[in-house]
Amino acid sequence: MKLILATILLSHSLWGYVYDTLLVDTHATLAPKLLMMSSVSKDIEHLSICIVCENTDDGVALRFKQTLHHKYKNIKTVSSHYVKMQSECSRSHMLFLFDAPDEIIAKSVKYAKLNHKLTMSYSSRYLDLGVLLSLHIGRSVKPYLNLSPSKEYGISFSNSLKRVSKLWKGGWI
Amino acid sequence: MNLFSTIWFRILIVVTLFVAVLFLFTGSHFRGELKKILQDSERVRHDVIMDTILPVVQINVAFDLNDENRAYFADLAEKNGDIATIMLIDSQGKVLYKYSRDILDENSIFFVERTLRDPQNKKNIGLLSLGFLNFALRQAELEQSSFEARFLSIVAIMFIVLVFALIYIFAPLQRLVKWVESYDPKSLHSEQLQLSKGDTEVSKIGWAITHMLERISKHTSELDLLNHDLDEKVKERTHELYKSNMKLQTEINSRVRTEKALMYANKKLIELSRTDGLTKIANRHYFQEHLHRVWDICKRKSIPISIVICDLDHFKNINDTYGHLVGDQVIVEVAKMLSDALKRSTDMVARYGGEEFVMVLFDTTSNDALNLVKEVQHKLHSITQFQEPADKVVGVTLSYGVCTHVPQKSDTVDECLSCADEALYIAKNSGRNRFHVKHLYDTDSAFTPTI
């Protein structure tokens, strides 16, 4: 029994967090659009998105990257890990954050805030930590918009995005 | 022929007026409906714009994103030319944003207002007011007015064109009318009708009228001859009639004169037939007529009637002594005296015989008759001298027989006359110069006084 439990825990640590490929594809499809609807950049020719994940999530990050390139040929992507994020994502306009411990996410958000970068996370629960964008997956897909920190970031969003988004403020949906 | 009095011109005026009035009425109705539709459409559009921007504005206000609101409103005003004013006020009444376009007519602005609610807790966080210019409505009204002006201009131009067309169409007819009006059937050299080759219908009418006028001219000449003959005959007959009338008038005048003479002669004859020739009082025949008339009235109304017969006493001696002329004079004067004694038109005195007189007294009793007799006797006795040739005659007296009676149904005039005659006989036999009163059925005389 102990052996089985140890095997499961080991495999979990090896395989990282659980992702749905369909949701990953959806995020990859919408991330550039949301980026363009922000004040960070409007020029699709020079957009750059940094995909940040744990070491165990390289596969899903690759999937995200491939889907994004499939949809948008001109967008530059950078795959990075949280430990190398500050050096590898310095030129990117957006940080797409896959799941990670809250301390790491908070640190990443702080980095983004200081460098005037847009943040979007796979999981919406990170919006409480200051991530600006996520997706609400329900009967319809809607962006989550975290406006309070975005004001502190000095980042604004287009009115059309505001009109179609759900507002996030302190866990309220 | 005046063109403006033709039926075609009147029809043209009526049709033109009808079209113009119908168009203006329809246009007015259409404009009203269009205005309502456009106002509704604009209101919906304004609501749609407001509902579209309201969520964004609410989010921006809730999160104090005033710069984004300013940019949003500026963009909105730039893209929507009909937005005249924008006013954003927070819950404390502070004006967060104000925009106003230069508008000349502020009355044409429609305001739409919405309360701003916090997207999280639905609390009132302000007020958004948008002012819209009614561009579409104004544009539609301008286009409608412009269209009406164009349409009426076209109608006016078409009317003028049609008037000229009518003038052109009616020109041959006008020439025909003038020619017919100036045509004199007695003139041998009337002006010929001048028509162009194109006026086929008018030419046909013209030729028909020409033929008709020729026939009229021919018949007029014949009629003139007949009229002349008739005038001569009328003059002749008039002269004959004048002569006949003059003859008739003469004859009428002659007959009128003859009629007047006849009437006078008849009147004289009537007078002669009723009057005694010597005394000029009524004769016996007329006395009879009068007596019967009065008798019938008295009988019908039961009125008393008195008959007095007078006779000159010893008249034969007068004739024998002084001659008949003297006797006649005495008779004439006595008759006049008797006639003067009667005052009423209903009473009458007549010469009854040679020296006999009779008086009929209507509605007179025996007493009244006696009073009259006494009056006559007194007058006679008061005559001292008769006129010539009877101036030597004296002592002329009369005897009177009086009969008074109220006639009954079975009584007759002759009975009454006999009664008076009997009374006279009694008076004569009693010594003359007296009277005797007798009633129709009396056996004795009432009295026979002696004067």
Side-chain angles (χ1 to χ4, degrees):
Chain A
M1 186 65 186
K2 285 182 181 176
L3 182 62
I4 295 168
L5 188 61
T7 306
I8 292 169
L9 288 172
L10 185 61
S11 64
H12 179 74
S13 64
L14 285 172
W15 290 98
Y17 297 95
V18 179
Y19 297 98
D20 186 292
T21 53
L22 184 62
L23 290 184
V24 170
D25 290 345
T26 305
H27 279 84
T29 306
L30 292 176
K33 289 182 183 291
L34 297 176
L35 177 58
M36 281 189 291
M37 294 172 87
S38 71
S39 60
V40 175
S41 179
K42 304 285 182 191
D43 187 3
I44 197 167
E45 297 293 330
H46 300 97
L47 283 182
S48 172
I49 295 174
C50 185
I51 304 159
V52 189
C53 63
E54 294 278 58
N55 292 336
T56 52
D57 293 334
D58 283 340
V60 74
L62 180 62
R63 169 96 188 184
F64 183 93
K65 186 176 182 178
Q66 285 172 344
T67 306
L68 198 149
H69 276 297
H70 180 69
K71 300 274 184 182
Y72 309 98
K73 306 289 182 193
N74 299 323
I75 292 180
K76 292 174 185 174
T77 53
V78 177
S79 296
S80 177
H81 295 127
Y82 283 107
V83 290
K84 298 175 186 173
M85 179 189 68
Q86 292 189 8
S87 58
E88 291 177 354
C89 297
S90 60
R91 291 186 179 179
S92 298
H93 298 100
M94 174 191 259
L95 303 181
F96 187 85
L97 305 176
F98 279 99
D99 292 352
D102 288 353
E103 312 83 64
I104 294 172
I105 297 292
K107 202 182 283 181
S108 302
V109 167
K110 190 178 179 182
Y111 166 76
K113 182 179 176 182
L114 289 172
N115 291 282
H116 194 66
K117 295 183 190 301
L118 190 64
T119 52
M120 182 176 177
S121 63
Y122 177 82
S123 174
S124 60
R125 65 189 175 85
Y126 295 136
L127 292 168
D128 279 335
L129 300 175
V131 174
L132 299 182
L133 289 168
S134 184
L135 287 183
H136 166 259
I137 311 296
R139 293 175 70 180
S140 62
V141 176
K142 280 192 172 183
Y144 270 138
L145 206 55
N146 200 354
L147 281 175
S148 295
S150 77
K151 196 179 172 188
E152 294 170 22
Y153 281 29
I155 294 171
S156 62
F157 297 99
S158 73
N159 293 317
S160 51
L161 179 61
K162 286 175 190 170
R163 199 176 296 119
V164 299
S165 299
K166 278 180 173 291
L167 297 181
W168 181 277
K169 191 175 182 182
W172 173 85
I173 298 170
Chain B
M1 181 180 67
N2 188 358
L3 172 71
F4 300 106
S5 65
T6 57
I7 187 73
W8 292 109
F9 188 75
R10 289 175 198 168
I11 290 170
L12 179 63
I13 288 176
V14 170
V15 169
T16 307
L17 287 176
F18 178 75
V19 168
V21 169
L22 184 68
F23 174 76
L24 289 175
F25 175 75
T26 312
S28 170
H29 181 72
F30 173 73
R31 197 185 300 145
E33 292 296 318
L34 181 69
K35 193 174 179 180
K36 272 195 273 183
I37 291 167
L38 285 172
Q39 279 177 342
D40 291 344
S41 162
E42 287 293 293
R43 197 172 295 119
V44 169
R45 200 175 74 84
H46 299 159
D47 289 342
V48 168
I49 290 173
M50 184 57 108
D51 292 342
T52 305
I53 67 171
L54 194 66
V56 177
V57 175
Q58 284 181 153
I59 290 167
N60 289 339
V61 172
F63 289 94
D64 292 330
L65 301 171
N66 291 329
D67 290 339
E68 292 187 26
N69 259 342
R70 269 192 285 277
Y72 189 38
F73 286 138
D75 183 51
L76 191 71
E78 186 186 340
K79 288 177 179 172
N80 294 278
D82 58 339
I83 292 181
T85 62
I86 301 172
M87 177 82 85
L88 181 63
I89 303 168
D90 67 6
S91 55
Q92 278 78 41
K94 182 186 170 188
V95 177
L96 299 176
Y97 180 79
K98 186 177 180 181
Y99 167 81
S100 180
R101 206 185 290 271
D102 291 334
I103 302 299
L104 292 175
D105 183 13
E106 291 188 357
N107 292 325
S108 63
I109 299 174
F110 294 91
F111 289 96
V112 181
E113 289 184 352
R114 290 282 192 283
T115 303
L116 299 176
R117 305 227 173 249
D118 193 315
Q120 298 163 23
N121 53 24
K122 303 296 178 188
K123 282 183 182 173
N124 183 359
I125 55 172
L127 179 77
L128 175 63
S129 169
L130 295 181
F132 291 94
L133 282 171
N134 217 334
F135 270 158
L137 183 59
R138 193 183 296 171
Q139 190 65 26
E141 283 179 343
L142 284 172
E143 283 180 9
Q144 178 72 10
S145 301
S146 170
F147 175 70
E148 283 175 2
R150 284 199 306 274
F151 181 83
L152 290 177
S153 303
I154 289 167
V155 168
I157 291 166
M158 284 182 68
F159 179 78
I160 293 166
V161 168
L162 282 171
V163 167
F164 280 109
L166 278 176
I167 290 170
Y168 176 74
I169 291 165
F170 280 89
L173 270 178
Q174 281 188 307
R175 284 201 297 275
L176 179 63
V177 170
K178 279 183 184 173
W179 179 75
V180 170
E181 283 175 347
S182 65
Y183 181 81
D184 181 7
K186 293 182 180 178
S187 173
L188 295 173
H189 303 288
S190 291
E191 188 186 347
Q192 289 296 311
L193 175 62
Q194 300 295 324
L195 292 170
S196 62
K197 290 178 181 177
D199 306 330
T200 314
E201 293 85 357
V202 178
S203 296
K204 285 178 183 173
I205 296 168
W207 288 120
I209 290 172
T210 305
H211 290 309
M212 183 184 73
L213 291 175
E214 283 173 1
R215 287 197 299 277
I216 288 170
S217 180
K218 186 183 170 186
H219 292 307
T220 305
S221 303
E222 290 172 3
L223 278 172
D224 283 347
L225 284 172
L226 286 172
N227 281 336
H228 185 262
D229 291 346
L230 279 172
D231 282 345
E232 290 297 321
K233 283 182 181 175
V234 167
K235 278 180 186 174
E236 197 178 323
R237 288 293 176 93
T238 306
H239 186 64
E240 287 173 4
L241 277 172
Y242 177 73
K243 280 182 179 177
S244 301
N245 278 337
M246 290 302 288
K247 278 182 185 175
L248 279 171
Q249 192 62 45
T250 310
E251 197 171 330
I252 286 166
N253 292 338
S254 169
R255 288 196 178 189
V256 167
R257 280 195 299 275
T258 309
E259 197 173 330
K260 279 182 181 174
L262 277 170
M263 282 174 68
Y264 181 74
N266 281 334
K267 197 176 174 185
K268 278 283 176 189
L269 278 171
I270 289 167
E271 280 179 10
L272 286 172
S273 68
R274 289 178 174 179
T275 311
D276 177 61
L278 179 64
T279 61
K280 308 300 180 192
I281 61 173
N283 58 20
R284 187 170 177 163
H285 174 72
Y286 187 49
F287 165 73
Q288 288 285 352
E289 279 182 19
H290 181 73
L291 179 59
H292 277 91
R293 201 159 46 242
V294 173
W295 180 267
D296 287 341
I297 293 169
C298 291
K299 189 192 281 184
R300 194 160 58 246
K301 297 192 175 179
S302 298
I303 296 169
I305 185 170
S306 294
I307 297 173
V308 181
I309 299 177
C310 318
D311 186 68
L312 281 167
D313 296 331
H314 306 293
F315 185 70
K316 189 172 180 303
N317 293 341
I318 293 171
N319 275 341
D320 293 343
T321 307
Y322 302 102
H324 286 284
L325 283 175
V326 173
D328 287 346
Q329 180 61 34
V330 171
I331 286 170
V332 167
E333 288 195 32
V334 169
K336 187 174 183 307
M337 188 265 294
L338 289 172
S339 179
D340 292 342
L342 299 181
K343 306 298 183 191
R344 300 183 302 182
S345 61
T346 51
D347 297 343
M348 177 184 270
V349 61
R351 195 179 176 193
Y352 197 56
E355 66 274 18
E356 270 188 347
F357 302 94
V358 66
M359 289 189 286
V360 179
L361 305 174
F362 176 72
D363 193 14
T364 305
T365 60
S366 56
N367 287 334
D368 293 335
L370 276 178
N371 289 334
L372 179 70
V373 167
K374 287 173 184 176
E375 188 185 337
V376 169
Q377 269 192 327
H378 179 70
K379 279 185 179 178
L380 184 61
H381 291 163
S382 62
I383 297 173
T384 54
Q385 190 178 18
F386 289 94
Q387 290 180 4
E388 289 184 353
D391 52 340
K392 291 178 181 175
V393 177
V394 291
V396 174
T397 58
L398 282 167
S399 294
Y400 307 90
V402 181
C403 181
T404 301
H405 182 63
V406 178
Q408 301 302 312
K409 205 172 183 181
S410 59
D411 299 336
T412 63
V413 175
D414 292 339
E415 284 172 347
C416 195
L417 277 171
S418 298
C419 169
D421 206 29
E422 283 172 14
L424 177 63
Y425 182 74
I426 292 167
K428 287 274 186 184
N429 287 338
S430 300
R432 295 189 173 81
N433 190 22
R434 65 193 64 205
F435 54 82
H436 182 83
V437 178
K438 192 174 171 31
H439 293 282
L440 189 58
Y441 300 115
D442 284 353
T443 51
D444 298 322
S445 59
F447 56 88
T448 312
T450 305
I451 296 176

